[in-house]
Amino acid sequence: MPFTPRVFSGVQPTGSLHLGNYLGAIRRFVAMQDSYPCLYCVVDLHAITVWQDPTELAKATRHVTAAFLAAGIDAEKNIVFNQSRVSAHAELAWIFNCVARMGWLNRMTQFKEKAGKDRENASVGLFAYPNLMAADILAYQATHVPVGEDQKQHLELTRDIAQKFNFDYAERLAELGWTDGLFPMTEPIIQGPATRVMSLRDGAKKMSKSDVSDNSRINLTDDADTIAQKVRKAKTDPEPLPSELKGLEGRPEADNLVGIYAALAETTKEAVLAEHGGAMFSAFKPALADLAVSVLAPVNTEMRRLLDDEAHLDAVLDNGSQRAAAIAGPILADVKRVVGFVG
Ligand code: TYM
């Protein structure tokens, strides 16, 4: 592959971060930083596809930045920044608006979910959202993108856009000597036992920032008592835990809690069942609550400390944005040359 391996991923600064964001994404970001150069982005341009109160948006941007750092992302070795600071994202997104087809975007399930019945009243930005996401990734020619399962379709679209761009401009690219195309076929990295953490109140629904019930999720800012209480109240069934994976079939709530336990303990669901198989939830839930508190409490404490030091968070974003722009700038210049823009 002619492209230098590089990781990119993003988190929206909307509402409070939860255990799904942490286990499905942020913890994976930390895991990848020893093997690749990584860019981790607070995607504030994406956030305003639905209305955001400006003061809250600024607060939420610092909140996600603090979560990245508290989780262990090294902002000196890697790049932590906010999307609106690097204009290449918006510029490349416009070009991709002209590459992607309406039919492709019409198939995006996340748009359908988020727009709901009131499609006529959704912002144009919400519809074009996946094109901006493709621009985030391809502005850095990123080769790997760690995400939760809900982003899979958007990453498939990113590959479709890269492929269509490389194909549409193949002749021009060849003239300029880029026979391998300008954009890589980015690989989604959707791994581990918690790629889709479900609501604690309903095993059929994803854990989400926008769920009206706060008991449906564990927030990264929840204190130990709140975490323990939410785990205790989590919906379950009356059966004991099975000893093997097969026994979780048709038991979404049990499956979810075992997956959360496995991700927190950095092990597999099989290993959790080997240890806890036969246990009733009255015994498993306290063990899960203790584990969740032991993993999340240090992140929580560090986040609070960082949030008190706004100047430091802003300096991290400042520095990261400059370094990100230095990578995206030349790539965007190449794109413009390929497209035929003068200057
Ligand atoms: P966002 O902000 O909704 O979520 C951030 C990350 O958390 C993951 N996630 C989950 N993982 C497991 N279980 C859950 N219940 C759960 N909920 C959320 C998401 O999959 C995501 O990895 N469109 C993206 C942000 C984005 C992006 C990008 C990601 C913008 N540009 C470029 C990767 C690359 C989003 O809304 O994520």
Side-chain angles (χ1 to χ4, degrees):
M1 174 139 127
F3 296 96
T4 319
R6 187 180 281 147
V7 168
F8 181 98
S9 199
V11 174
Q12 291 200 63
T14 47
S16 142
L17 291 174
H18 54 69
L19 191 65
N21 299 128
Y22 181 67
L23 296 177
I26 300 173
R27 221 180 191 198
R28 312 288 312 158
F29 299 175
V30 179
M32 293 192 86
Q33 65 179 352
D34 292 330
S35 322
Y36 299 94
C38 304
L39 293 113
Y40 294 126
C41 184
V42 188
V43 292
D44 45 9
L45 296 177
H46 277 100
I48 63 160
T49 53
V50 296
W51 169 250
Q52 301 298 327
D53 173 87
T55 313
E56 290 302 315
L57 178 62
K59 247 168 77 177
T61 297
R62 295 193 181 101
H63 177 95
V64 175
T65 309
F68 282 176
L69 302 181
I73 291 172
D74 178 346
E76 285 184 12
K77 193 163 159 262
N78 300 290
I79 296 179
V80 171
F81 72 111
N82 57 319
Q83 190 185 24
S84 61
R85 299 280 289 278
V86 181
S87 62
H89 294 249
E91 290 188 66
L92 188 57
W94 178 259
I95 295 171
F96 289 168
N97 284 345
C98 305
V99 173
R101 305 290 93 184
M102 291 289 286
W104 299 359
L105 293 179
N106 271 330
R107 284 194 284 276
M108 294 293 112
T109 53
Q110 193 152 308
F111 174 75
K112 289 181 200 161
E113 274 164 33
K114 286 201 175 170
K117 289 197 180 77
D118 200 9
R119 273 178 81 141
E120 289 292 307
N121 206 26
S123 73
V124 175
L126 190 65
F127 185 69
Y129 180 113
N131 295 344
L132 177 59
M133 198 166 146
D136 298 340
I137 296 164
L138 297 175
Y140 303 93
Q141 293 170 327
T143 52
H144 298 79
V145 177
V147 278
E149 209 175 275
D150 60 347
Q151 297 302 315
K152 192 167 174 227
Q153 197 185 31
H154 289 158
L155 291 186
E156 282 161 8
L157 187 94
T158 299
R159 291 163 69 103
D160 290 343
I161 290 176
Q163 196 164 29
K164 187 169 188 323
F165 183 96
N166 288 342
F167 179 80
D168 288 351
Y169 291 101
E171 227 172 272
R172 175 79 165 171
L173 284 162
E175 263 169 45
L176 294 167
W178 288 310
T179 43
D180 290 313
L182 195 55
F183 294 124
M185 288 298 114
T186 307
E187 257 184 69
I189 308 290
I190 304 174
Q191 278 173 359
T195 56
R196 190 173 176 82
V197 176
M198 306 308 276
S199 156
L200 297 180
R201 307 300 301 160
D202 179 353
K205 263 175 48 188
K206 197 181 67 169
M207 184 178 285
S208 147
K209 293 170 193 160
S210 54
D211 197 312
V212 285
S213 162
D214 194 55
N215 279 330
S216 71
R217 65 183 158 261
I218 292 173
N219 301 304
L220 287 195
T221 45
D222 284 344
D223 60 27
D225 286 348
T226 312
I227 295 174
Q229 201 183 45
K230 285 179 176 176
V231 172
R232 203 166 48 239
K233 283 192 178 158
K235 189 177 164 204
T236 43
D237 56 40
E239 303 297 321
L241 281 177
S243 308
E244 286 175 12
L245 218 47
K246 213 169 161 0
L248 289 174
E249 278 171 20
R251 298 179 65 188
E253 284 86 9
D255 189 20
N256 190 37
L257 294 189
V258 170
I260 291 174
Y261 192 105
L264 286 167
E266 296 189 67
T267 179
T268 59
K269 290 203 249 185
E270 285 90 336
V272 175
L273 294 179
E275 192 185 337
H276 294 273
M280 299 304 288
F281 281 104
S282 52
F284 184 66
K285 279 179 168 180
L288 175 58
D290 285 350
L291 177 62
V293 169
S294 74
V295 173
L296 297 179
V299 179
N300 192 316
T301 311
E302 180 61 1
M303 261 179 91
R304 281 175 206 278
R305 190 188 71 75
L306 287 163
L307 284 168
D308 277 341
D309 192 354
E310 219 169 81
H312 173 65
L313 294 174
D314 290 0
V316 166
L317 293 175
D318 227 29
N319 173 276
S321 303
Q322 287 177 33
R323 288 159 60 209
I327 300 174
I331 295 172
L332 183 68
D334 286 346
V335 176
K336 288 180 173 175
R337 211 142 68 88
V338 169
V339 172
F341 294 157
V342 174

